[in-house]
Amino acid sequence: CDVAGRIVTAPSDGANCTGKQACVSALPADFCQRLGDNAPKWCSQKVTPECPEPPPCVQPQCKAGEKCPKVKCPPPPPCPEPYILDVARANAGQPWCVSPKELKAYGGPIEVRCEASGPGARKEGAPTGCWLLKQTSQDYSLTKDRSRISGPIKIPGLNAYDQSKVDPSVYVQDDPQNRGLSEAVAENFVINGSLEEPSVERLNSYTFFLTL
């Protein structure tokens, strides 16, 4: 998952996801924040900064027999207070290993590297969607084994009655207060890995398989 071996959640070598762990291509900065009170222990790390060096203090050079004044050295600066580090924010953009529970709680948008994930993450029914990608992709190699999870999709005109009939983790009302992507952006992310609004030409080529 990470050739540099920087993943603190990779139990053996900091590089490989095991078991049911999913290899996230780029850890989102808000990953731990969004999980809130259900965030795993690795999300928070207590950091105790090193105390700064005392300022230089140079005593005057006096000749033999002279009365040499003694310079009072300034005190060292106070040590910084310990603080809690948001590990996801500090490692945003790096590959990371996350559990199925964490992946499902985050929702998306997020990209998973299937072949770099643990074997349990590729089994049928896993929240990575890797198994579905392999079943539905005409050429699995063309997707570069990337399973992209869009998260909630905003549906214009979806009223409260309709909302009660659909899974809120999949479809939400098109409201600024709701977290989610438009249909076009969601499909652009799933197909191309881009969170930008697609061009008119690209938009017209889409099938809108994400529609309700």
Side-chain angles (χ1 to χ4, degrees):
C1 187
D2 181 21
V3 294
R6 299 166 292 179
I7 306 174
V8 299
T9 54
S12 56
D13 53 8
N16 296 295
C17 303
T18 59
K20 296 181 180 179
Q21 286 183 320
C23 173
V24 173
S25 302
L27 184 66
D30 66 344
F31 191 88
C32 292
Q33 180 184 357
R34 195 184 293 180
L35 267 56
D37 293 338
N38 295 318
K41 290 182 179 180
W42 65 260
C43 276
S44 300
Q45 179 184 345
K46 186 178 180 180
V47 177
T48 303
E50 292 185 4
C51 294
E53 295 289 333
C57 182
V58 180
Q59 298 291 343
Q61 299 294 323
C62 300
K63 293 181 180 179
E66 289 183 345
K67 189 176 181 180
C68 204
K70 193 170 184 180
V71 175
K72 187 178 180 181
C73 295
C79 295
E81 293 290 328
Y83 63 93
I84 302 299
L85 177 73
D86 183 329
V87 175
R89 197 164 293 280
N91 294 279
Q94 289 183 193
W96 210 256
C97 299
V98 301
S99 71
K101 182 180 178 181
E102 295 158 10
L103 182 66
K104 194 170 183 179
Y106 181 76
I110 195 167
E111 182 183 87
V112 173
R113 289 177 55 204
C114 296
E115 295 303 320
S117 299
R122 300 192 294 271
K123 287 185 177 180
E124 186 169 344
T128 59
C130 290
W131 56 278
L132 186 62
L133 178 70
K134 199 159 189 176
Q135 286 180 8
T136 57
S137 178
Q138 292 181 348
D139 188 344
Y140 186 60
S141 63
L142 290 179
T143 65
K144 297 181 179 178
D145 83 333
R146 301 299 199 267
S147 175
R148 301 185 183 105
I149 304 165
S150 68
I153 302 166
K154 292 184 175 182
I155 304 296
L158 186 70
N159 56 39
Y161 175 75
D162 293 330
Q163 181 69 71
S164 66
K165 291 184 170 184
V166 297
D167 186 344
S169 67
V170 180
Y171 298 110
V172 293
Q173 289 177 299
D174 190 4
D175 188 293
Q177 294 183 347
N178 289 334
R179 179 181 59 82
L181 306 177
S182 69
E183 289 182 287
V185 173
E187 190 156 359
N188 197 26
F189 175 69
V190 170
I191 296 173
N192 303 299
S194 172
L195 287 169
E196 295 182 357
E197 194 74 32
S199 64
V200 175
E201 292 79 9
R202 176 166 282 179
L203 191 63
N204 290 335
S205 70
Y206 287 168
T207 59
F208 284 97
F209 62 85
L210 299 170
T211 52
L212 190 63

